[in-house]
Amino acid sequence: MRRALPSMAAILAGTLLQVSIAPQIAIGGTVPNLLLLVTVTVALVEGSRAGAIGGFAAGLVFDLLGTGPVGAMAFVLALIGHLAGSLQEQMFAEGWRLPVSVVALASLLSEVAYWLVLWVNGAAPPFLATLSQVIVPSALYNGALALLVYPWLARLLRRERPVRTFSRLA
Amino acid sequence: MKLPQSDRTVGNAGVLAILLVAAIVLMTMSAREGEQGMLHRTRKALQAATAPIASVGTWISTPVRAVTDWAGGLSVSRSEVDELQTQNEELRQRVAELEEARLENERLRTLVGFTEARKLEALGARVIARPTSSWESVIVIDRGTADGVEPGMPVLAPQGLLGQTVEVTEHSAKVRLIVDQRSGVAGMVQSTRAEGIVRGSVEGGLDMEYVSRETTVVAGDIVLTSGMGGVYPKGLLIGEVSKVDLPENALFSIIEVRPSARLQGVEEVIVLVGATSTADVGDGE
């Protein structure tokens, strides 16, 4: 339980920032998904179980903040958290380039998966328009923000195992 | 005791399976339950709890935006600006406040005039939160059930129709903008009276559907609410036709509409509390 506290705190902080800051730093209607960044970081640091549980919780909060189907983003982020977490033990380098690339890829996958979930629910917008207007811009923006968020958040979550190469960024 | 790798993998997959099933159950519940269902009530409680936090974000960003606008308009050297800034800081602050009050006054006068001309019962509101996701165009205003706001009420910006209230708590309400892809408004072209459904699109614009290709619609035509369906009063300005396509074998024209209301950065709105409150024609929920 004590081990889960930093991850829970990160999700809570991510929620507060998603509500207060994310809408203010939107670029051309693209709002960054800070809860996705938190989920992937938790997963890469703590593993797939924590990633899936954290992703489910973060996604549920994201769903409840919006007006879309409740459970859609919870489904997506639980899956993304699990997949990203399964990479934890395969991470051969403790630098920042690989994790940041994983965050950017996870962002792309999560947006596509969210569209699929909406499609199954009968609430999806046309795919090609969504790809160019939402999915790709969001993935790029989230990937860019990961450069700022990941090194610091990973460092906070992994206090007992400091990573030297993070000092280049964080 | 530490589990072997394979057992942990199976355990993790089991946890994931449980979570995915839970998410599917939640999606089903969300689709089936009514306004008083558990998930809707939880969503409203979260909206009520986060509204003050969201308004703090808006409040913090307002001076940053003002400074950005101000810096963007500078055409003198930095040193001169610094000198002037020191000398005139207090005066400029006062002028900025007065200018802000004048602009707000102007916007509110426009809003009040708009509703008075149509004899609609209106309630002024401030925008306290902007969309938290790229997937939807929903803002939050600082009026709720305590002020007489209910789900389904039309919301206007000074330039025209902005959207409709969808989820209302005691002191706040979510407004789905007309450009949201789940939004739909019964509209008509002012010049020809051709009727259709104006839907939001993921590109952030509006498409007018179901307008017969035999009706002549040209770029620049004004689009108003038609009043059909009883959701929006007739005659509210939606936008202006920006593009018309007539595919060879299609039954209907493809009409793009540019919204009149300034959707980005809108600060004050009016809720038509006297208008009918039912879900709009595009609500997919």
Side-chain angles (χ1 to χ4, degrees), chain A residues 18 24 31 63 67-68 111, chain B residues 43 61 132 134-135 182 285:
Chain A
Q18 187 69 39
Q24 314 306 330
V31 185
D63 288 328
T67 58
E111 300 290 348
Chain B
R43 186 173 255 173
S61 72
T132 55
S134 305
W135 289 87
R182 285 172 295 165
E285 285 182 49

Side-chain angles (χ1 to χ4, degrees), chain B residues 140-153:
Chain B
V140 182
I141 57 173
D142 66 348
R143 300 283 194 173
T145 50
D147 308 291
V149 177
E150 290 171 14
M153 290 180 166

Side-chain angles (χ1 to χ4, degrees), chain A residues 12-69:
Chain A
L12 182 64
T15 304
L16 296 178
L17 292 174
Q18 187 69 39
V19 172
S20 57
I21 302 298
Q24 314 306 330
I25 58 171
I27 300 175
T30 302
V31 185
N33 188 343
L34 304 177
L35 287 164
L36 167 81
L37 299 184
V38 171
T39 296
V40 179
T41 307
V42 166
L44 289 176
V45 173
E46 300 289 352
S48 56
R49 181 179 292 226
I53 296 170
F56 181 83
L60 190 56
V61 169
F62 188 93
D63 288 328
L64 290 169
L65 288 174
T67 58

Side-chain angles (χ1 to χ4, degrees), chain A residues 18 20 23-24 31 48-49 52 56 62-68 70 78 82 89 111 114 117 121 129-130 138, chain B residues 5 8 12 16 19 26-27 30 43 46 57-58 61 65 131-136 174 181-182 202-203 285:
Chain A
Q18 187 69 39
S20 57
Q24 314 306 330
V31 185
S48 56
R49 181 179 292 226
F56 181 83
F62 188 93
D63 288 328
L64 290 169
L65 288 174
T67 58
V70 177
H82 176 82
E89 289 177 7
E111 300 290 348
Y114 189 69
V117 173
N121 277 274
T130 311
S138 298
Chain B
Q5 176 70 29
R8 265 189 292 156
N12 291 344
L16 176 67
L19 293 173
L26 285 171
M27 276 187 270
S30 154
R43 186 173 255 173
L46 190 64
T58 308
S61 72
R65 279 194 194 144
T132 55
S133 156
S134 305
W135 289 87
E136 55 185 26
K174 282 184 181 166
Q181 50 104 11
R182 285 172 295 165
V202 75
E203 290 98 337
E285 285 182 49

Side-chain angles (χ1 to χ4, degrees), chain A residues 90-114:
Chain A
Q90 277 80 46
M91 284 283 192
F92 52 88
E94 288 191 327
W96 55 271
R97 288 186 188 87
L98 184 63
V100 166
S101 306
V102 170
V103 176
L105 186 65
S107 172
L108 191 67
L109 283 176
S110 70
E111 300 290 348
V112 173
Y114 189 69

